Structures are given as C-alpha cells and as structure tokens.
Amino acid sequence: MGITAPGMGSNLDVNSIVSQLMAVERQPLALLDRREADYQAKLSAYGTLKGALAAFQTAMQGLADPARFRAATASVADTSILTATTSSTGKAVPGSYSIEVQQLAQQQKIRSEGFASTNSTVGSGTLTIQYGDYDSGLNTFTLNNAKPAQTLTIDPANNTLSGVRDAINAANIGISATIINDGSSNRLVLTAKDAGAASSIRIIASDDDGVDLDNAGLSQLAFDPTAAAGTGKNLTQVQAAQDAKFQIDGIAISKNSNTITDAIEGVTLNLLKSNAGTPTILDVARNTTGVKASVEAFVKSFNAVNQTLADLSTYNTVAKKGGVLQGDSAALSIQRWLRATVSAATGSTSGAAGSFTSLSQIGVAFQKDGSLALDSTRLQTAMDAGFDQIASLFAANGKSTDSLIAYSGATAKTSAGNYAVTIAQLATMGSLTGSQSAGLTITAGANDRIDITVDGVAASVTLAAGIYASADALAAEVQSKLNGATSLTAAGSSVVVSQSGGVLAISSARYGSASSVTVTGGNGAGNLLGASPITTVGADVAGTINGVAALGTGQTLTATAGTASEGLSLIIKGGLLGARGIVDFSRGSADRLNKLAGDLLTTDGILASRVDGLTESIKTIDRRQETFLRRLDAIEARYRAQFTALDTMLSSLNQTSQFLTQQLATLPKNNS
Amino acid sequence: MNSAEKIAAYQSISNLTGEMVKAARASDWEKLEMLEHRCAAVVTQLRAAPPVRFTADMQQQKVELIHKILADDAEIRTHTEPWMKSVQTLLGNAGMARRVHQAYDTHT
C-alpha cells in the first residue's frame, strides 16, 4: 500500500496532502478489518464442518460393526413357558425350534430344628460347606470341582442362632441364611445361591463339644445327605437342588440354571414354567427391521454431513448469498471424497452368488441434489436374496471358509482382500504332569500344602486332610482348591486337574506361551506329583496369513506389518495343520467413511491445516494493524512538531510586526 | 549602531521576509522557520540599539522598507494560517479515529 508521510519540504499543496492522507490512510485499516472478519467467518465455518464430520464419524463407527447387519429376533409362541432374546453379537441362525420344558432348575433349601430364641446358643467350632451332586439312588455325594469348599469358624463371639446366620451371610460363600419364626420356635433356613443339581449342599461340622455328628452343639447344623437323620444329617431338606430339564427338537438338555445361553448359539432362553407334553415353538428370524433401521441411519448420517457441506459451500439462491466456503477447495474435496467413498465398490471379492458389491444394489443411491435416498423395496428384495451379504457392504468384516477359523478383528491398516491361511502349529495349554502316582493320604501339616505357579501367578493351597477314596477324588480336591485361590481367580487363570493311572496332571485353561504350570514348593508337592514332575509350556498358534508368517498369541493369529493383510486377527480353534482355506476380508462403506472422517479430522489433516492457516493469517492481520497504528502515531508526532514550530515562528513574526508598526507610529510627523 | 547600519538592518529584514514569502508560497515550512530565526535575530539587534537620527532620505527609505516587510508578513500569514488550521483538524480527526479503532478492536 506504500503510504508515506509527505516531507514538509516537498512542494505539495498541504490541503490536498491532508485530504489524501486522510482518505488513503484509513483505507487499509478498514480493508484489514474486512479481511479479518472474512477469515473469522471461515474459521467458524470450518468449526461447523468439523462438528458435522465428528458426528458423522461416530455414526459410521457404530455402523461399521457387522453385528448391526446380522441381527436376529427370537419369538416364542407361548411366552408363559419361556422367553428368548438374541445376543448382540449376531450369531443367531434363523430357524424354528420346538421346546418342551420338563422341569425348572431350582436351588436347594434346608432348615434347622426350632430354637427357642434367635439368641439361643448353637455351639462353636467350624462348619465346612461343600457343594456337589447328591444321588439319592446310590446315596452318594460327589463334590463339585468348580465350587471349592469353604470353612466358617463359629466361636463364642457369634455362636447364637442369629450370630451363625450373620456369619454365613457375611462370608458370602454361596448360601444365604435367614431365620424363620414359626410361632413357637426359630428355624435357620439355608438356601443355595445357585440352582442346579451340582449345587447341593453338604455341611460338615467340627464341633467344639467333641462330637461332630450328634444333635447337640454346633453339629446341630451338620448336613450330610448320605448320613442317617440325627447322626450327621441334622437339617431337613425343604427343596431339593435340581437342574432344568428340557428338550429342543427332541434333544434332551439339562442345565443348572433357568437362563440358558449356550443351547442355541446366539440365543438366550429364560425358562419360566414346565409345559411337559405340550411343546411350544421358538422362532429365530432375521431382524430385517433392525437392518433396515441401520441402513436408514447410514443414509440419514450421510445426508446430514452432506447438507452441512452444501450449506457452507454453495450459493444460496433464496438468500442471494454465497456460502462462507463457496469455492473453497478443501470443502469441495471433502464433498468429493465422501461421495466417492459411498460410490466405491466394496471389496467383497468372494464372487459368491448373490453377493453385493455396491450400495446401489440394496437400494441406496444418490439423488440429483447429491443426497442419498433409500429405496425400501429394493432393500427388502436384497435382504430376501442375500441377507448375510449386507453386513460386508457397510462393516469391516471377515469371512473364513474354515469353520474352526474365526475372524476376530482388523486394524485401520488392514486392506480388503482374500487371504490364504496356513497353520503350522496349533495353540496348546501349559501343563504339569507328576512323575509318580499321587499318595492318597493327606495329613494336615505334613503333606497338605502345595505351592504352584499358574500362567506366572503364584498360588499356595492347603488340601483337606483325609484318606482319599481315589486319585479322581484327590484330583477333584486339588482342582477345587486351586480354582478357589484368590490370586488365580483375580488373574483370570484356572486349571483342570486330571489323573491317569494315579498320576496327576494339572493343566492351565489358557492357551499359548503365557500358559504354564510349575510347582514351586510346599510340603505336599512330593506326595502329589513326585520328585520331578514334568512341566510342558503352552505353545502359541503358528502359521501364515497371505503367505507371510503371522504372529501367534494363544489361539490368536495376527498378520504382521508390511503386508496387505496387516492387522487381520484370526482365532484358530483347532483343526489340521497345513492350508486352511481363505479369509475374505472386506471393508464396507461405513467402515471406509469412518476412516475417511478420521483422516480428515486428524491433527495433520486437511481441516486442521486450513484452520492453522487461517489462524496464522488472522495473527498477521493483527500484526499489520498494530504496525499501521504505530505509523499513524509517528505521522501525528511529526505533524504536531511542525505545527508547534510554525506556531512559535508566527508568534515571533507577530513580535517583529508589532515592533515595526511601533517604529512607524513614532516617526516625526514632518517626515511621514 | 549608526543610521546607515540601521537602514542596512531593515534592508536585510526586508530581504529575509521576501525569501520567507517565497518559502511560504512553496509551503516550505522548514525553510520558512529557518529564515524567520535569522529575521528575528536582526530585529532583536535593532530593538537593542539606541535611537539615532535619520536624514529625511533615510527616514523615507526606512518607512518604505517597513511597509514592504509588513506586506510580506501579511502574505506569509495568508499561506500559513489555512495550513495550520487543516493540520489542527487532521490531528484532531486522526487522534479520534485511532481512539475509536483501539476501543472497538477485538483482535489485539
């Protein structure tokens, strides 16, 4: 703009200089203000666009889940018998099932004889609560390995009826205790928390009065279903523990709960009532309504962000005004990329009949105005023809040709494609096998303790003393104690203890190289496992994906960086070694749009760089305004100095003229 | 200072005011100021000098010079006064504009 203050020595007309100065010098200031307002408006427009894209990304993230497009619904003809729901993982397979419920699962309930008062002294000692299966025919009680025994100490501090009730409830050991007053006496009622035949209760008393079976002292609460009433079976059963028994399409099923999650894959049954002899029908159907809603949500989300872009970047014929981002290359690019991503063919290259490769095949198509619209009739036709293929159009989805290989996940870097899988080694679990048969006599303080490390987590357990009937019984005790160890349950580890020819083997339930069982000490280690038990460390699955060695962790095989299949994660549940078919990984529209929105919104993305540029421009303008104001100051100072000097000069000139006028006045008259 | 010297001083003031008129016409304020300084110095000398007698010719010459100087003075004012007035206005406006800008400027 180059405005310079005119030098006072230049031969210019001062008035014109002043007026020129006034007009010209004000211009850039107004211009800068206008430009800054422009930039601010753009900045705000980019903010709006970012908000819209972030909302769009969230919506696309949700729709990139294949389960959204595989959902099934379950309906039962007679809902008084049972109800059914499908899980969100979308594993339910459409079908119709005939269901007949013979009996519901229930928990055992036992009661004591009457006590005069809730404060009546019961006795002291210990109560050991065991869980297991009582066979009334054989009169045997088989311990439940999954539910470790628990011991409760009753001492003079809590030896009343209510004290025992509170001690049992506070211990939280799988039974709840209440006291019922029948009008003349108080009875302790114990209820198992878990239903099912395997959760029958046995209570062994160790009575401080020295007699553990009689009906006096703490042994009044002993309950061994195999003993004779009054001599160890001193409580009365009110309700027997039993499993739910039902048939699905004639197949007899027994479960320890009325909520069954593993009978029909992806469907949870909730049994309510017996209907023996009159089966009801369970229908599992594709949730076409849910899928349609998901497709509609996709269209709606796209249109919302598209509308925001249009509002910001096009000429509004009603307002006769251009959008703030009209002609902005970033806005135009984003619009173009969004459209291209929606239009692009989905990489479902399996070539299976009825597979879809574009959204238009299921009725989602662009309108003249650039928005998307859904043709419901076409969507319905498509769902009827290839329901299972729709998920791949939207979500990131993998399909395996081998039923023992499951797609587990992928990362942003995984490319769509068909990837061959070969397995060189299956995952195994770590285990420990004894070097000799286990001794069946366990003596407290002598050989009852064993220190074991499972999956790197140490646990020390003390076995119940006694002479075990069999190696199986001893194995069950070891497993029960280990699985009850808090350090292992906290770490999510568990073991399976088995015996073969009297030799015990302890196996971790985890797969892979992190799975291991080692014995580290304890006075009972030698008796149980021999002097030199053999430790076998678990192995990770090994194999290739897309011809490149993949990373195995437990049963999970993950394709390594640097290949097209990078990040593809598969679970190898079993099967043979060698070539194991193909995993077809595809990226649907929602998944790709999610990624696109993510890329646009990153800190080094196109929007961020625009915003940074504008912020910088505004700063520059601010700096220029400052400089400009400073220069105005300088000009003013200069004018002011000259004005003052001239003013001084004029007053000096006044004095001169006064003096001269005086001279004229004092002239002698004759000389004038 | 004798009479001849005084006449010479009036002559020199007249010469200077003549130059000053030219400078004022050209809006050369710096030169104008510089000339006035010199002029004021001569006037100071004249004022300090005791009165002397002039011959009639010299008196006549002195009156003519004073009239010429006062005429120059008048012309100088016709050039400087409007300029000073507009500068005064400009300074007033510029100060106002800046104060307004600073008061409403939200970006600094």
Side-chain angles (χ1 to χ4, degrees):
Chain A
M1 194 67 45
I3 304 157
T4 51
M8 287 301 104
S10 58
N11 300 327
L12 289 171
D13 173 39
V14 172
N15 283 324
S16 87
I17 290 169
V18 169
S19 54
Q20 264 179 21
L21 268 176
M22 288 308 294
V24 177
E25 300 222 5
R26 279 161 179 277
Q27 258 178 14
L29 209 56
L31 197 71
L32 287 175
D33 281 348
R34 258 206 316 280
R35 198 175 299 166
E36 179 160 356
D38 252 23
Y39 288 162
Q40 293 285 4
K42 275 196 175 174
L43 210 54
S44 150
Y46 279 126
T48 307
L49 183 52
K50 273 170 85 171
L53 278 169
F56 180 64
Q57 189 187 15
T58 307
M60 290 305 114
Q61 231 160 21
L63 290 169
D65 178 3
R68 290 279 295 261
F69 300 90
R70 280 205 297 252
T73 53
S75 54
V76 178
D78 184 350
T79 53
S80 72
I81 304 301
L82 76 152
T83 57
T85 52
T86 54
S87 72
S88 60
T89 53
K91 291 272 171 61
V93 179
S96 182
Y97 306 89
S98 160
I99 298 187
E100 184 180 344
V101 180
Q102 274 90 37
Q103 70 176 37
L104 295 179
Q106 61 188 30
Q107 58 271 71
Q108 190 180 29
K109 220 175 243 202
I110 47 183
R111 65 161 171 81
S112 72
E113 292 309 306
F115 287 81
S117 149
T118 56
N119 292 324
S120 300
T121 302
V122 181
S124 52
T126 61
L127 292 174
T128 300
I129 320 281
Q130 298 174 326
Y131 297 96
D133 210 329
Y134 174 63
D135 185 323
S136 58
L138 298 170
N139 196 32
T140 54
F141 186 85
T142 311
L143 282 174
N144 179 344
N145 292 338
K147 302 186 85 178
Q150 306 278 354
T151 298
L152 207 64
T153 302
I154 305 298
D155 55 29
N158 60 358
N159 63 0
T160 62
L161 191 63
S162 60
V164 170
R165 174 199 60 194
D166 294 345
I168 291 172
N169 288 335
N172 192 23
I173 51 176
I175 47 175
S176 60
T178 52
I179 294 172
I180 290 179
N181 185 304
D182 63 10
S184 56
S185 67
N186 297 282
R187 296 170 194 275
L188 184 70
V189 178
L190 303 176
T191 309
K193 282 182 182 162
D194 291 334
S199 290
S200 287
I201 302 167
R202 180 159 75 176
I203 303 174
I204 312 283
S206 171
D207 197 337
D208 284 355
D209 70 9
V211 188
D212 294 342
L213 298 177
D214 70 347
N215 225 333
L218 191 62
S219 55
Q220 288 174 89
L221 300 181
F223 180 74
D224 182 349
T226 61
T231 53
K233 186 164 84 175
N234 302 339
L235 300 178
T236 309
Q237 174 171 290
V238 180
Q239 174 176 296
Q242 71 179 31
D243 286 337
K245 286 194 163 49
F246 58 103
Q247 292 189 349
I248 297 178
D249 291 341
I251 301 163
I253 297 169
S254 177
K255 295 283 177 188
N256 63 8
S257 164
N258 291 318
T259 303
I260 296 115
T261 57
D262 55 357
I264 302 170
E265 193 177 15
V267 181
T268 298
L269 304 176
N270 190 19
L271 307 185
L272 300 172
K273 206 169 82 180
S274 157
N275 66 340
T278 51
T280 188
I281 298 294
L282 162 68
D283 254 321
V284 177
R286 284 162 175 157
N287 186 358
T288 52
T289 316
V291 169
K292 191 178 171 209
S294 292
V295 176
E296 279 166 349
F298 175 86
V299 170
K300 197 175 158 211
S301 296
F302 179 87
N303 285 345
V305 74
N306 188 57
Q307 187 62 51
T308 302
L309 271 165
D311 289 347
L312 291 172
S313 65
T314 55
Y315 186 82
N316 186 326
T317 48
V318 179
K320 293 203 162 55
K321 204 175 147 214
V324 179
L325 298 180
Q326 190 178 11
D328 180 88
S329 65
L332 289 173
S333 298
I334 291 171
Q335 215 164 11
R336 207 170 51 238
W337 291 331
L338 285 172
R339 289 191 60 130
T341 307
V342 171
S343 307
T346 298
S348 182
T349 47
S350 58
S355 73
F356 301 115
T357 53
S358 79
L359 288 175
S360 59
Q361 288 171 304
I362 63 161
V364 176
F366 279 108
Q367 306 301 290
K368 272 182 192 155
D369 66 356
S371 69
L372 280 177
L374 172 63
D375 179 339
S376 299
T377 314
R378 282 200 76 169
L379 177 61
Q380 190 58 52
T381 310
M383 286 196 290
D384 292 343
F387 186 85
D388 296 337
Q389 314 293 330
I390 290 176
S392 294
L393 271 183
F394 292 93
N397 198 14
K399 280 181 274 183
S400 166
T401 54
D402 188 309
S403 64
L404 289 172
I405 295 179
Y407 164 74
S408 159
T411 68
K413 292 184 172 167
T414 316
S415 308
N418 281 333
Y419 302 114
V421 180
T422 65
I423 299 301
Q425 175 184 290
L426 290 171
T428 59
M429 298 175 282
S431 65
L432 181 73
T433 308
S435 55
Q436 67 182 54
S437 297
L440 297 181
T441 303
I442 303 295
T443 311
N447 67 349
D448 61 344
R449 195 168 54 81
I450 180 163
D451 303 333
I452 273 186
T453 301
V454 178
D455 306 343
V457 178
S460 183
V461 296
T462 304
L463 304 176
I467 301 167
Y468 285 80
S470 64
D472 278 325
L474 183 59
E477 168 69 3
V478 175
Q479 177 175 322
S480 155
K481 284 287 156 66
L482 278 173
N483 286 342
T486 47
S487 62
L488 295 185
T489 49
S493 288
S494 65
V495 296
V496 175
V497 181
S498 58
Q499 67 86 23
S500 171
V503 178
L504 296 188
I506 304 172
S507 172
S508 163
R510 180 178 295 187
Y511 279 95
S513 54
S515 164
S516 67
V517 182
T518 52
V519 60
T520 55
N523 57 22
N527 175 60
L528 275 181
L529 297 158
S532 49
I534 302 140
T535 287
T536 311
V537 176
D540 293 317
V541 66
T544 66
I545 297 175
N546 197 23
V548 180
L551 178 72
T553 312
Q555 289 185 301
T556 306
L557 194 63
T558 307
T560 49
T563 70
S565 55
E566 173 174 359
L568 182 66
S569 180
L570 308 171
I571 295 174
I572 317 300
K573 297 171 183 163
L576 301 171
L577 301 183
R580 293 286 294 275
I582 297 280
V583 171
D584 173 11
F585 177 72
S586 57
R587 288 198 172 279
S589 299
D591 177 67
R592 281 178 289 152
L593 287 167
N594 172 29
K595 186 173 184 301
L596 172 62
D599 288 348
L600 294 173
L601 290 168
T602 54
T603 48
D604 54 358
I606 185 168
L607 283 175
S609 77
R610 284 294 156 125
V611 167
D612 287 351
L614 283 172
T615 311
E616 196 43 57
S617 300
I618 288 170
K619 271 192 204 152
T620 307
I621 286 184
D622 285 346
R623 273 198 299 274
R624 285 180 62 185
Q625 281 176 331
E626 242 170 73
T627 313
F628 183 78
L629 286 172
R630 265 204 303 278
R631 207 177 54 217
L632 273 189
D633 277 339
I635 293 170
E636 180 182 345
R638 193 165 169 198
Y639 275 110
R640 206 178 281 285
Q642 283 174 343
F643 182 84
T644 310
L646 215 57
D647 204 38
T648 313
M649 182 222 75
L650 281 173
S651 83
S652 174
L653 206 60
N654 278 345
Q655 282 173 15
T656 301
S657 66
Q658 263 166 29
F659 168 72
L660 294 175
T661 313
Q662 262 168 28
Q663 295 298 307
L664 286 181
T666 57
L667 284 179
K669 292 286 176 221
N670 56 338
N671 285 336
S672 59
Chain B
M1 203 178 244
N2 60 31
S3 56
E5 282 168 342
K6 283 205 174 183
I7 290 301
Y10 283 110
Q11 184 62 56
S12 129
I13 292 171
S14 168
N15 289 345
L16 283 168
T17 55
E19 288 296 306
M20 281 165 75
V21 168
K22 283 189 204 159
R25 279 182 194 150
S27 306
D28 190 346
W29 310 127
E30 274 161 30
K31 190 172 183 188
L32 179 65
E33 198 196 339
M34 187 263 288
L35 291 167
E36 198 277 333
H37 266 291
R38 283 164 60 187
C39 185
V42 181
V43 171
T44 309
Q45 279 176 9
L46 265 180
R47 279 182 158 180
V52 290
R53 287 193 151 276
F54 289 101
T55 61
D57 275 359
M58 285 172 116
Q59 190 77 296
Q60 182 60 37
Q61 203 178 346
K62 173 186 162 188
V63 170
E64 278 173 11
L65 282 168
I66 289 176
H67 280 296
K68 194 258 176 189
I69 292 166
L70 287 176
D72 283 347
D73 176 282
E75 185 175 351
I76 290 166
R77 285 173 197 281
T78 64
H79 293 299
T80 52
E81 270 163 13
W83 186 86
M84 290 195 58
K85 213 167 184 175
S86 45
V87 168
Q88 221 163 359
T89 315
L90 166 68
L91 293 178
N93 284 349
M96 173 93 81
R98 214 147 350 127
R99 279 192 295 279
V100 167
H101 194 270
Q102 275 160 357
Y104 292 95
D105 192 5
T106 50
H107 317 303
T108 47

